[in-house]
Amino acid sequence: MIILGIESSCDDTAAAIVADGKVLSNCIAGQEIHRLYGGVVPEVASRAHQVHIVPVVNEALKQAGVLRSEIGAVAFTRGPGLIGSLIVGVSFAKGLAMSLDIPLIEVHHLQAHVMAHFAGERQPPFPFLCLIVSGGHTQIMLVRSPFDMEIIGQTIDDAAGEAFDKTGKLLGLDYPAGPVIDRLAKEGKPVFDFPEPHISGLDFSFSGLKTSILYFLRKEIERDPAFIQNRLPDICASVQTRIVSILMNKLKKAVQQTGIRHVALAGGVSANSGLREALLNTASKLGWEAYIPKFEYCTDNAAMIAIAGYYKYLDGDFCDHSVTPVARWAM
Ligand code: KG4
Ligand code: ZN
């Protein structure tokens, strides 16, 4: 069974081919233009999806060595995401499914981030916990099966990736700032202490951190106008250390509460070297099994959509052609 996966929920246009659950290709067209604006501009994103979608699908078919006529089903991201971006992927998927007379499979973007763990060799056993951390999401999922997932903790304000990106803006770094902060943090020491928010249960909050960084920088710049230039690596190391500790503390709590020791990471922020190291260290100290997929399966990609689609295909879970994209979609 050959499945074409399509992802267009934010600023990346992606297409992938999965054959019997194995990834044959995973193609992506990013949108550099948003760097100019310091964040994703929805109108610009949807127009760029229109430009990219056909070439990306053709490239995915070419790299997989698959003919269009061999596609057995089309899986697409229905939501959550930017509505103008989603419309492009959903409409394309519908048109292709109609012309080839094949089933159409709607996929929840967060379910797909979790299912990305089934694209590689090392797959977590059920049940497992999955921390999804990206520019748009920060959730701890309790995953009982490919179809039974529960959000047991989530951010009440900003996502972890946003915390990195908004800090970068304060520091005058390029967007997205996560990778830049990660790189600079390696040259510095976490000597500045930013407060950890006190949020009950397994939920996260990052907006207070952003405010405390802002006030801290204002105060220090009053004393030394070149404070940011002089101490950039130390500031980055301190911010990263705090973001990682916020994530890890809730993850430890989730393991304690559920008794589940198989812990997986997903989303763009899972590229962060501080977070990877913290998860691997904690895992070896506390006897957890950690699962960190290849980076191309961490960020937004279409292989995860095609893999989630494959499991839904096996379950006979198809949708009809009246399906519409949804900006917000509960699990
Ligand atoms: O999953 P993703 O590609 O897109 C969505 O947001 O859905 O994640 C992008 C986010 C951005 O906020 C970016 O700054 C962050 O992931 N990111 C990182 C790193 N690489 C990407 N954050 C921290 N450290 C990194 N190495
Ligand atoms: Zn995502």
Side-chain angles (χ1 to χ4, degrees), residues 113 134-137 161-162 164-165 176-179 182 267-269 271-272 298-300:
H113 268 302
S134 74
H137 337 283
E162 263 180 300
F164 276 106
D165 296 339
D182 190 0
V269 180
N272 185 263
C298 284
T299 51
D300 285 350

Side-chain angles (χ1 to χ4, degrees), residues 56-222:
V56 168
V57 167
N58 283 338
E59 185 60 26
L61 286 166
K62 192 173 139 202
Q63 284 187 18
V66 162
L67 298 173
R68 200 180 305 159
S69 57
E70 292 175 307
I71 302 171
V74 186
F76 64 94
T77 307
R78 184 179 171 206
L82 300 173
I83 203 75
S85 290
L86 291 164
I87 282 174
V88 179
V90 174
S91 305
F92 182 89
K94 279 190 199 184
L96 191 66
M98 198 176 156
S99 68
L100 295 174
D101 196 21
I102 54 176
L104 194 57
I105 304 169
E106 62 178 26
V107 172
H108 191 291
H109 184 82
L110 288 187
Q111 180 192 16
H113 268 302
V114 172
M115 294 308 289
H117 288 275
F118 295 86
E121 296 291 305
R122 193 162 167 269
Q123 305 183 351
F126 297 107
F128 65 93
L129 297 177
C130 186
L131 174 68
I132 305 181
V133 270
S134 74
H137 337 283
T138 301
Q139 272 104 356
I140 302 178
M141 298 265 220
L142 197 173
V143 187
R144 298 186 188 91
S145 82
F147 315 107
D148 183 0
M149 304 181 186
E150 185 190 340
I151 296 171
I152 58 171
Q154 60 188 318
T155 182
I156 58 168
D157 41 57
D158 292 346
E162 263 180 300
F164 276 106
D165 296 339
K166 287 181 176 176
T167 301
K169 217 170 199 170
L170 296 176
L171 296 172
L173 304 175
D174 283 345
Y175 171 86
V180 187
I181 292 177
D182 190 0
R183 184 170 44 76
L184 288 165
K186 289 187 183 124
E187 299 158 20
K189 289 205 160 42
V191 289
F192 305 117
D193 189 26
F194 297 111
E196 174 140 8
H198 295 286
I199 306 295
S200 65
L202 297 175
D203 285 344
F204 303 91
S205 168
F206 290 100
S207 66
L209 176 65
K210 188 192 67 192
T211 312
S212 69
I213 295 167
L214 175 67
Y215 288 149
F216 166 79
L217 290 176
R218 270 192 199 154
K219 199 181 75 201
E220 294 296 334
I221 288 168
E222 242 172 58

Side-chain angles (χ1 to χ4, degrees), residues 268-311:
V269 180
S270 49
N272 185 263
S273 52
L275 180 59
R276 284 172 173 246
E277 199 183 305
L279 178 61
L280 293 173
N281 283 343
T282 307
S284 79
K285 234 185 264 166
L286 301 181
W288 303 356
E289 280 295 327
Y291 302 85
I292 306 177
K294 274 205 288 188
F295 185 58
E296 63 175 308
Y297 297 143
C298 284
T299 51
D300 285 350
N301 68 88
M304 69 183 192
I305 305 300
I307 290 282
Y310 174 65
Y311 282 83

Side-chain angles (χ1 to χ4, degrees), residues 18-60:
V18 160
D20 295 328
K22 201 169 158 283
V23 181
L24 298 188
S25 65
N26 189 24
C27 298
I28 193 152
Q31 302 180 2
E32 291 296 312
I33 184 150
H34 301 284
R35 285 177 188 268
L36 297 176
Y37 302 100
V40 176
V41 183
E43 169 78 16
V44 174
S46 56
R47 284 168 187 267
H49 282 304
Q50 288 283 6
V51 175
H52 293 154
I53 188 123
V54 171
V56 168
V57 167
N58 283 338
E59 185 60 26

Side-chain angles (χ1 to χ4, degrees), residues 2-18:
I2 293 176
I3 303 215
L4 167 69
I6 291 172
E7 155 65 31
S8 72
S9 64
C10 191
D11 60 334
D12 294 316
T13 320
I17 296 288
V18 160

